[in-house]
Amino acid sequence: MEFLNLDRDMQSAVRIAKSYAQENGNAKYSSAHLLKAMLQKEVGLTNFVSGICKDLDYIEEWADIRMEEYEKSAVITDIEPDTKINAVFEKADNIRLKIGLLEINPICTLCALACPEVGFTVDQLKSFPIKEKDILESYVPFGFDEDDDMDDFDMNSSSVQDIIENNTTI
């Protein structure tokens, strides 16, 4: 399965997630592999996560535990996404559209992963320290509510473009 509108950082994250799956003896990469991959420096999500005052080490360990729980395979050929990855990228694409981006970036994907029953179960997310609302309020200037009218929001302003390009908070 190929996801066409991933930005360069997310394309790197997918490659890294596949590597993690192979290292762990998994035939498919999961949401946990993708989350851990997004926390690598070359993907660029670490500054954002630190900026919203979340513990990177805890989140990485949280992903490691879920990766260890993931089904192992004796024969590994080509690492494919598991069934939840499509839902993760569909949700990330919806978030991308909501906030006016051209491509899915790591923040859109993190937001999707933080949504119950998209990448992780409700029970798994009980111990996950990041919520969708935390991300949207930090990423979109002046906060964001699903009921907000985005028509009045200027995604082309210099401050908004700086936030988008640098994956930072305001």
Side-chain angles (χ1 to χ4, degrees), residues 4 8 12 19 29 54 64 67 69-70 83 90-91 94 97 123 126 128 135 158 162 166:
L4 299 176
R8 198 172 48 237
S12 293
S19 295
Y29 71 93
K54 302 301 177 182
D64 283 338
M67 285 171 38
E69 295 170 347
Y70 199 75
T83 56
E90 283 180 22
K91 180 69 173 176
N94 289 336
L97 290 169
D123 283 342
K126 285 179 182 176
F128 190 63
I135 299 165
S158 61
D162 182 56
N166 296 311

Side-chain angles (χ1 to χ4, degrees), residues 18 22 27 45 48 61 65 68 71 82 97 123 140 147-148 152 160:
K18 287 179 178 183
Q22 189 164 20
L45 188 62
F48 178 79
E61 183 178 329
I65 290 168
E68 289 171 14
E71 181 181 337
D82 79 0
L97 290 169
D123 283 342
V140 178
D147 298 328
D148 285 349
D152 296 331
V160 171

Side-chain angles (χ1 to χ4, degrees), residues 1 24 30 51-52 68-70 72 79 92-93 131 137 153 163:
M1 183 177 304
N24 287 305
S30 69
I52 60 172
E68 289 171 14
E69 295 170 347
Y70 199 75
K72 306 281 186 214
I79 306 291
D93 195 43
K131 307 297 179 229
E137 286 178 349
F153 188 73
I163 291 168

